[in-house]
Every structure is written in C-alpha cells, then in structure tokens.
Amino acid sequence: MWKLLKVLKVMTLIIVGVSVLGWVVMMLWNWLMPALFAGARSIDFLQALGLLVLSKILFGGMRGHGGWHKHGGLHDHHRRWEKLTPEEREKFRHGMFGRRKHRDEGRGHNHERV
C-alpha cells in the first residue's frame, strides 16, 4: 500500500512539474517572441509542451544527461591528470606549451613556469 502511495505521489509531482514547465515555456514564448520577431505568433499549452520535448531531445538537460555533460566532462580529465606521473605531466606540459614557447621566443614573450 505504501509503495503504491509513493508511486502516485511521484507521478503527481512529475505531472505537475511538466505542466508548470510547459506553462512557463508558453508564457515566455508568448511574451518574448511576438515582440522580438514580427512573424512569430503566440502558442498554446500543447505547443509549449511540444517545444519543451523538442528542446529536451535536441539539447538534453533537466537531469544532466546529454548535452555538455556526457562521459563525465571535466571530472574524467581531472582523474586522468591525477593518475599521470610527474614525468608524464611534464611531457604533456612541454607538448602543450612547448610549441607556443618556441614560437613566442622571437617576440620577447616568456611563458616559462616558475
């Protein structure tokens, strides 16, 4: 019984959340788009929900899946950097900044680490 009640609460929260997001999208669209673009027209609630779904498909989001957050993002790079030995780190730095250092020496720039 408690599980069913919990599932109903979650489903209700999801429906209310999606409805509020759809209403916000509709209000923002109807407020901004006709004022910014002469050919834009107002949308209704179902069109706003469709726009919300389309933006979810195209850009990911809402839960952090998709978009710029795929495959761990910066955390993976940080973990890999931490696993490198000091020699590997220096070799990487030389590869990244060594070419720029040699190129800029003729201009009087100094990019060496202290």
Side-chain angles (χ1 to χ4, degrees):
M1 179 69 179
W2 290 108
K3 249 184 185 180
L4 179 63
L5 198 61
K6 188 175 181 179
V7 168
L8 287 175
K9 282 183 181 180
V10 169
M11 292 297 289
T12 303
L13 283 175
I14 289 172
I15 291 170
V16 168
V18 168
S19 297
V20 168
L21 281 174
W23 182 80
V24 168
V25 168
M26 182 183 71
M27 288 291 138
L28 285 172
W29 180 281
N30 291 339
W31 175 55
L32 286 173
M33 296 313 248
L36 293 175
F37 303 104
R41 57 185 184 96
S42 296
I43 61 174
D44 61 17
F45 182 74
L46 288 178
Q47 289 171 327
L49 286 179
L51 189 60
L52 193 62
V53 170
L54 180 63
S55 66
K56 170 71 174 154
I57 291 169
L58 293 176
F59 304 114
M62 288 191 211
R63 299 189 82 202
H65 302 337
W68 297 100
H69 303 286
K70 282 188 178 181
H71 308 298
L74 289 175
H75 298 291
D76 283 344
H77 296 296
H78 182 69
R79 275 189 237 120
R80 280 191 237 152
W81 179 260
E82 291 297 320
K83 289 180 182 179
L84 293 177
T85 64
E87 294 82 20
E88 290 172 329
R89 289 181 188 180
E90 189 58 38
K91 185 177 178 184
F92 179 80
R93 282 188 189 121
H94 178 71
M96 289 297 291
F97 302 112
R99 291 181 291 268
R100 188 173 90 183
K101 178 183 165 193
H102 295 298
R103 185 183 68 209
D104 291 342
E105 279 178 350
R107 299 182 195 157
H109 297 280
N110 188 3
H111 294 286
E112 290 187 28
R113 291 187 172 264
V114 178

